[in-house]
Amino acid sequence: GLTGAANLEAGKTNTFGVLMNALGAAGRGTKDKYYEVEVDTIFFLSDGRPTVGELVDPDDILREVRVSNELRKVVIHTIAIGEFQKDFMKTLARENGGVFVDLGR
């Protein structure tokens, strides 16, 4: 279901689109009695930099994920392979209670 959001057919990386899609499937906080949580953890595997989508600047993506995940409290783990922006992937995991794993070259 994320193929279209991630633009995988074109070999491009839509980091913002796929993260927003995944967070959209999540509840509004794991401790909120009024919301069911369908997703409480995301494993974000990326082999490249954000190249397409509504936002491609890593700082903009981090800001929007921070805002979107404030109430959801979804843990985001990041796994980097190939050439990537290590600082971005580390920060994304750290700010969302996750772990960064470097499988780079």
Side-chain angles (χ1 to χ4, degrees):
L2 296 179
T3 302
N7 200 13
L8 295 179
E9 298 91 2
K12 298 177 182 171
T13 305
N14 185 348
T15 301
F16 178 71
V18 77
L19 288 171
M20 290 299 103
N21 191 305
L23 285 171
R28 281 193 54 194
T30 56
K31 296 182 181 176
D32 188 330
K33 66 182 180 181
Y34 299 107
Y35 294 92
E36 286 187 35
V37 177
E38 295 182 30
V39 174
D40 64 359
T41 305
I42 295 169
F43 292 89
F44 178 64
L45 172 71
S46 181
D47 66 349
R49 294 181 170 96
T51 57
V52 297
E54 187 177 336
L55 298 175
V56 294
D57 181 83
D59 290 333
D60 292 340
I61 295 169
L62 289 170
R63 181 190 67 244
E64 292 303 315
V65 168
R66 202 176 302 120
V67 169
S68 295
N69 202 22
E70 185 176 356
L71 294 176
R72 290 175 174 89
K73 308 286 188 224
V74 174
V75 174
I76 301 175
H77 299 291
T78 58
I79 305 161
I81 58 174
E83 294 183 27
F84 56 90
Q85 292 181 312
K86 186 182 269 189
D87 290 340
F88 167 66
M89 297 287 278
K90 280 180 154 178
T91 302
L92 181 62
R94 185 184 70 247
E95 288 186 353
N96 294 283
V99 173
F100 167 74
V101 176
D102 182 353
L103 299 178
R105 300 180 205 199

